[in-house]
Amino acid sequence: MSRSKNKEFRDPVHGYISVPADWCAAFIDTAIFQRLRHIQQTSMRPLYPSAHHDRFTHSLGVYHLAKIAFHCLSENT
């Protein structure tokens, strides 16, 4: 991974998620990934109008947790 600036995304659960800018250009800025903003992850929106659970934020959260898990695993080997 090259040394480049990071982009930060605000996640309602994990706070700010930092993603390398070159990864954003390669994956997150694509039309297919941006389309995930309009697909709901859960159907709780009618019950809780302030709940914002779309596939875009879910995917960033999964990336964040996987990055933490990888970091912990690599330190323990």
Side-chain angles (χ1 to χ4, degrees):
M1 184 168 69
S2 66
R3 296 244 183 235
S4 65
K5 294 189 342 183
N6 292 334
K7 288 189 178 180
E8 289 191 345
F9 297 90
R10 186 173 182 317
D11 185 75
V13 176
H14 304 290
Y16 287 95
I17 297 173
S18 182
V19 179
D22 53 347
W23 289 15
C24 288
F27 301 108
I28 296 175
D29 293 342
T30 63
I32 294 210
F33 200 87
Q34 290 296 318
R35 183 178 165 269
L36 297 175
R37 290 182 186 265
H38 306 291
I39 301 172
Q40 294 296 314
Q41 179 67 18
T42 63
S43 60
M44 294 295 166
R45 191 85 179 211
L47 295 174
Y48 305 102
S50 63
H52 183 70
H53 305 285
D54 58 31
R55 296 277 172 114
F56 181 83
T57 55
H58 174 77
S59 298
L60 289 177
V62 169
Y63 161 77
H64 177 68
L65 293 176
K67 185 171 76 170
I68 291 172
F70 180 78
H71 179 70
C72 289
L73 288 172
S74 65
E75 283 188 347
N76 289 328
T77 58

